C-alpha cells in the first residue's frame, strides 16, 4: 500500500511540474520542465549523500573507533540482506539519525553524538533497523526525487512571477500559454501543493521504515521507546543548522529536526509521533514470533 501510494504521489508531482511548464510555455515549456527535473534528479542521485554528510560534518566510524555501533550496523545489515553500509558520526548533541546513499551498494548510516548518549543498545538497534529499512526500500532515492521535483516546481512558480511581470497581463490564445489569472493561481497553489505532496511521500515512507525496521530487529517496542526519547530530545536540543539546511534535509532524519522551529513544525515531513508509536505497539502485540535483538 505504501509503495502504491508513493507511486501515485510522485506521479502527481510530475504532473504538476508538467502543468506548470505547459502554462509557461506550452508543450515546449513542459518538456523543458521535465529536462530540468531530470538534471536535478541526476545530480541528487549521485551526489546528495556526500553533500548532506559534509553539511553536518559527518565523520566515518570504523570498528576500532566504535565497536558497538559498527557491530550493530554490521549485524543488522546481515539480517536485512544488505551489504555493509558506511557508518558516520555527526558531531551534534541533538539525538537523531539518518540514512543516505544512492542504492544499497553505496549506502551510509549516520547517527549523532546525542543519540549515542540517550539510547540503550536495544533502542539504538531499533533506530539502525529503521534506517536500514530505508536502504532496503530505496527510500533515500524516492525522497530525493520527491524533494527535487518539489524544488523544480517552486523554481517554475518563481518563473511564473517574472512571466506575469513581463507580459502576463496580455491575453494569449490557447496554444500560447496562460493568462494572468492562471499565472497567479500557479504562483500560489503550485508550490503549496508540491510541498504537501512531498510531505505525504515522506510520511508514507516513514511508516514503512518503522515497520521494516521492527521486522529486521524483531523488537518493535525498542523502536517505539527510542522514538519517544528522540522526540523529546529533539525538542530540548534542536539541530544546530541553518533554517535552509534543516528544511532541505528534514525528510532524511528519523525524527523531524524542525520540531519546535516556529511555523516549520506545522509542515512536518514526518507523521505524528503518537501514531508511529501506536502502530509499533500494535505490531508487538500481533507478532508473537518476534526475535528481539
Amino acid at each position: 500500500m505504501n509503495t502504491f501510494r508513493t507511486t501515485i504521489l510522485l506521479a502527481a508531482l510530475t504532473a504538476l511540474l508538467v502543468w506548470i511548464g505547459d502554462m509557461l510555455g506550452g508543450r515546449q515549456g513542459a518538456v523543458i520542465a521535465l529536462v530540468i527535473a531530470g538534471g536535478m534528479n541526476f545530480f541528487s542521485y549521485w551526489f546528495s549523500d556526500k553533500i548532506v554528510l559534509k553539511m553536518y560534518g559527518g565523520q566515518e566510524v570504523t570498528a576500532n573507533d566504535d565497536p558497538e555501533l559498527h557491530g550493530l550496523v554490521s549485524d543488522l545489515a546481515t539480517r536485512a540482506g544488505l551489504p555493509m553500509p558506511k557508518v558516520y558520526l555527526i558531531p551534534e548533541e541533538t539525538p537523531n539519525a539518518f540514512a543516505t546513499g544512492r542504492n544499497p551498494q553505496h549506502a551510509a548510516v549516520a547517527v549523532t553524538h546525542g543519540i549515542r548518549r540517550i539510547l540503550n543498545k536495544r533502542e539504538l538497534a531499533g533506530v539502525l533497523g529503521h534506517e536500514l529499512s530505508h536502504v532496503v526500500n530505496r527510500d533515500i532515492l524516492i525522497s530525493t526525487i520527491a524533494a527535487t521535483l518539489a524544488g523544480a516546481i517552486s523554481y517554475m512558480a518563481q518563473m511564473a512571477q517574472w512571466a506575469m511581470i513581463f507580459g502576463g497581463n496580455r491575453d494569449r490564445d490557447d496554444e500560447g500559454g496562460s493568462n494572468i489569472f492562471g499565472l497567479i493561481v500557479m504562483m500560489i497553489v503550485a508550490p503549496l501543493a508540491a510541498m504537501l505532496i512531498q510531505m505525504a511521500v515522506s510520511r508514507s515512507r516513514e511508516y514503512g521504515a518503522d515497520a521494516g525496521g521492527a521486522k529486521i530487529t524483531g523488537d518493535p517496542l525498542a523502536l517505539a521507546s527510542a522514538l519517544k526519547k528522540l522526540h523529546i530530545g529533539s525538542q530540548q536540543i534542536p539541530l544546530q543548522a541553518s533554517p535552509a539546511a534543516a528544511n532541505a534535509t528534514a525528510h532524511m532524519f528519523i525524527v523531524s529536526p524542525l520540531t519546535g522551529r516556529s511555523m516549520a513544525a506545522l509542515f512536518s515531513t514526518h507523521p505524528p509521533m503518537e501514531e508511529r508509536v501506536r502502530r509499533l505497539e500494535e505490531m508487538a502485540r500481533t507478532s508473537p514470533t518476534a526475535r528481539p535483538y
Side-chain angles (χ1 to χ4, degrees), residues 160-172:
Q161 294 180 1
W162 291 105
M164 186 177 67
I165 293 172
F166 293 106
N169 59 335
R170 295 193 298 269
D171 290 335
R172 301 173 183 174

Side-chain angles (χ1 to χ4, degrees), residues 245-267:
N247 278 303
T249 59
H251 64 281
M252 300 180 65
F253 289 89
I254 188 169
V255 297
S256 175
L258 302 178
T259 302
R261 285 179 178 267
S262 63
M263 292 295 292
L266 297 177
F267 298 96

